[in-house]
Structure formats: C-alpha cells, structure tokens
Amino acid sequence: MQAPHTDILVIGGGPAGLHAAFYAGWRGLSVRVLEARGEIGGQLAALYPDKRVYDVPGLPATRAAEVVTHLQRQLDGLDVDLRVHTLARTLERVGDGWQVGTTSGVFTAGAVILAAGLGALRPREARVPGADLHPDVRTDLPDPDTLHGRRVLVVGGVPQATRAALELTAAGARVTLTHRRAGFRGDPDALARLEGMQTQGQLTVWAPATLRRLTEWGAELEVDGHEQNVEADTILVLNGYLPDLSPVQSWPLNWQGDYVPDGPGGRTALEGVYAVGDMAQSSTDFKLISLAFAQAAVAANHAAHHVRPELRIRPGHSSEKRA
Ligand SMILES: Cc1cc2nc3c(=O)[nH]c(=O)nc-3n(C[C@H](O)[C@H](O)[C@H](O)COP(=O)(O)OP(=O)(O)OC[C@H]3O[C@@H](n4cnc5c(N)ncnc54)[C@H](O)[C@@H]3O)c2cc1C
C-alpha cells in the first residue's frame, strides 16, 4: 500500500508549523501537519496557554491559547490535514520527494518543513511515591469520553490540570483535583468555571494538599495535617512538558547543537527540506513567534515553488486574491 501523499509535510504544530501550513495551503497545495502532542499550538498550548502575549502582530495582549485558536481558524477552507499524536521519527528520500515515518504510519510529500521548535513536547514522568502500585496512572489527558463514569484523580496546578478537571467532569467522570498549592493556573474563564463546579459539588478540590503516595485503590493525601484518602480508577499526574529533539536529531541536517542551519528561503542541507521557527539556526538569538511567522512564510513559498515549479516563489498579496 502506498503511503498517503501531500505536497507538503510540516513537522510540528506550533506557530511556525501552523503558519507554514497556512501559506502552503493558501498557495493551493495540499498540506499535512504532524504534531507529537494531542493538541496543536506548540509551546503556546503546552507551556503557557493562560499567559498573555503582547508582541504578536495584530493580536494585542492575547492569551497564548487564543493565538493558537486564531492560527487554526486561518486554516479553515484550506487543504490542511492536522494529525495530532503523531511523532515524526524517520526521514528518507523517495523519488523526488520525502518519506517520513511516524508513530502513526508513514507519509510522503514533495517537500518537508521542519518546525519542531524545542523538540517534541512530552509529558513529564509521574514522579510520585507509589506510582507503580496503581493500575492506571497517566501523564497526559486522553479523550475525556473514554473516562466517562470513572473516578479520576487529577494531580497538578498547571493549566492542563484545570482544563482536564473541567473536560472530564463535562464528559461524566467523577473528578477530584488536587495540588500542593492553593491556587491553580488557567485562563480566568476556566478558573471561574472550576470554582462554580466546586461550589455546586460537581467536582472535589483538595488544595493545598500533600500527595503522600499512590496506592492500588487511589491516593493518600494530607490536607490541613489530616489524612484524606481518595479512591480513583484513573490517576492523571499533569506536571507540564519537557522538549525532546532526539527523534529528529539523527536526520542529516548538519545540526549545530539544537539548531538546524537554515540558508536562504529556510533551505537545509537536504534539498526540499526547510527549517523554520525556534529550531532554525537563524532563531538562535530571537526565539519569537513573530520571527517564526516570517520564517514560515518565506520557507512555505520556497517549498511551494520547489514542489510546483510553475508557482512563483513570491506569493503576491493575499489582499488582491479573491476569497
Ligand atoms: C513561557 C514562555 C513564554 C513565551 N512568551 C513569548 C512571547 O511573549 N512572545 C513571543 O514572541 N514568544 C514567546 N515565547 C517563545 C515562543 O513560544 C516560541 O518562539 C515559539 O513557540 C516557537 O514556535 P515553533 O513553532 O518554532 O516551536 P514550538 O512552539 O516549540 O512548536 C513545535 C511543535 O513541534 C512538535 N514537535 C517537535 N518534534 C516533533 C516530532 N518529531 N514530530 C511531531 N511533532 C514534533 C512539538 O510537540 C511542538 O508542538 C515564549 C516561550 C515560553 C516557553
């Protein structure tokens, strides 16, 4: 069976990858974006979704998660296939194009735009006493519907923990949320909803609380100096993410440490492979969303010309194109 093919494969669903996907799609190309995490947005979604970003052109003082929403909306109507939970691992030359092996199959394309940022953002390990005793300890939020009717203990104060508690409760799980500090992170709407649900008894919150250990039936907490047992079928330990570049660092791109040298148009040592965003060597001193956008626009237009030589590199102005 032949691998599914698109004109362009973008590796990484952060701002650089999403804007590259927009530009290539806007030029009329078919695009597939491969993202290791369960959601797009890169560092903005994983590391600081609740923080306001002040220096994205055209979006003054906008929460990072909202910047991602805008980037995704800009893909509406374009031939862009977003694949989450898809970690790119191998790159091979096939004919005039490239084949990328992933954790969810093999894909081919005429050109590859590498937008892997700091690396695949992987959930931190659950370093909790007794983590090996409980039968269902997880470090990332699965599809909430799969936990319907289950008793779920969510451990953590990061925005993903707040969101997991809300989404799981909405999906019919019986949720307890705990954190060692009193406060949780999240956007103000999410925090207000959390408080509302807690007040209405729709979920239980123990914070500040010390997680003494996990057991085969749940967890032992210490709250105000007293032992508090929580029975749980599933335990979600959400501690944020750590970047991992190793899946792509074996690719022959003349890596300079964590950076890929990017020549004019984002070109790399491999013909038809481009590097943009935080991982491009030209970003060494400026890891900025605005720079990632600019690099993505340039590389996507070069990639478009590479795949379809009849397309000029210069895209023309979008304002002159009919919708
Ligand atoms: C706390 C914090 C605050 C910041 N604030 C600002 C700010 O105010 N303004 C600003 O301009 N910048 C800010 N930045 C920097 C900005 O977030 C980065 O410059 C930007 O995210 C880079 O985008 P990117 O697409 O290159 O990489 P990333 O955002 O890192 O996205 C890369 C994506 O690729 C995925 N990926 C990696 N390897 C693979 C693989 N092998 N297969 C599949 N997927 C893969 C990752 O999971 C990730 O989702 C901030 C950064 C941090 C950490």
Side-chain angles (χ1 to χ4, degrees):
M1 201 177 77
Q2 280 199 328
H5 184 87
T6 46
D7 293 316
I8 307 281
L9 264 181
V10 176
I11 295 167
L18 293 175
H19 194 54
F22 163 75
Y23 240 114
W26 176 253
R27 295 296 306 266
L29 303 186
S30 58
V31 184
R32 179 166 290 123
V33 179
L34 310 178
E35 169 52 52
R37 288 189 66 229
E39 62 177 351
I40 58 164
Q43 294 167 54
L44 289 81
L47 305 184
Y48 59 107
D50 54 327
K51 291 208 162 100
R52 279 183 197 279
V53 179
Y54 295 86
D55 55 350
V56 172
L59 291 177
T62 304
R63 274 179 219 296
E66 267 178 71
V67 176
V68 177
T69 304
H70 285 289
L71 286 167
Q72 183 162 13
R73 272 188 43 209
Q74 210 162 13
L75 303 178
D76 286 352
L78 301 178
D79 187 1
V80 177
D81 175 30
L82 296 175
R83 295 280 172 116
V84 293
H85 292 302
T86 306
L87 176 76
R89 294 198 285 210
T90 59
L91 178 73
E92 261 177 71
R93 188 87 179 145
V94 172
D96 292 342
W98 293 97
Q99 176 170 293
V100 173
T102 77
T103 45
S104 314
V106 172
F107 302 98
T108 60
V112 171
I113 299 179
L114 194 51
L118 306 176
L121 295 164
R122 298 188 188 257
R124 283 178 197 267
E125 269 177 62
R127 291 211 177 139
V128 180
D132 51 332
L133 296 176
H134 191 279
D136 190 18
V137 179
R138 310 186 194 195
T139 53
D140 216 356
L141 176 64
D143 176 355
D145 289 336
T146 60
L147 298 182
H148 171 88
R150 289 175 74 86
R151 298 166 302 174
V152 183
L153 173 64
V154 180
V155 181
V158 293
Q160 284 83 10
T162 306
R163 211 180 91 197
L166 294 173
E167 290 185 9
L168 288 166
T169 304
R174 282 141 62 202
V175 175
T176 302
L177 174 64
T178 186
H179 182 41
R180 63 195 152 84
R181 298 213 179 99
F184 292 90
R185 280 179 56 201
D187 71 62
D189 283 354
L191 293 173
R193 277 193 291 141
L194 184 70
E195 204 180 317
M197 282 182 168
Q198 188 187 353
T199 310
Q200 288 167 20
Q202 290 173 285
L203 57 77
T204 306
V205 176
W206 296 114
T210 305
L211 176 57
R212 279 196 189 148
R213 63 183 196 115
L214 302 186
T215 65
E216 53 282 3
W217 45 261
E220 291 173 8
L221 309 182
E222 187 182 317
V223 184
D224 286 336
H226 300 288
E227 186 172 312
Q228 177 67 51
N229 290 338
V230 178
E231 290 185 16
D233 306 307
T234 297
I235 299 183
L236 272 183
V237 182
L238 301 177
N239 271 333
Y241 297 85
L242 280 178
D244 178 11
L245 264 180
S246 63
V248 292
Q249 267 185 325
S250 61
W251 299 5
L253 293 164
N254 292 340
W255 287 84
Q256 304 291 316
D258 290 343
Y259 297 100
V260 173
D262 51 325
R267 289 193 196 95
T268 66
L270 301 175
E271 201 197 337
V273 179
Y274 302 81
V276 295
D278 274 10
M279 64 171 316
Q281 198 172 24
S282 58
S283 299
T284 312
D285 296 327
F286 290 96
K287 288 191 173 51
L288 288 176
I289 298 162
S290 51
L291 178 57
F293 287 165
Q295 292 167 326
V298 171
N301 283 294
H302 276 81
H305 175 70
H306 174 80
V307 174
R308 298 229 200 122
E310 71 277 15
L311 290 179
R312 286 189 297 182
I313 292 175
R314 287 192 192 169
H317 292 144
S318 68
S319 55
E320 281 155 24
K321 215 171 168 184
R322 288 196 195 141

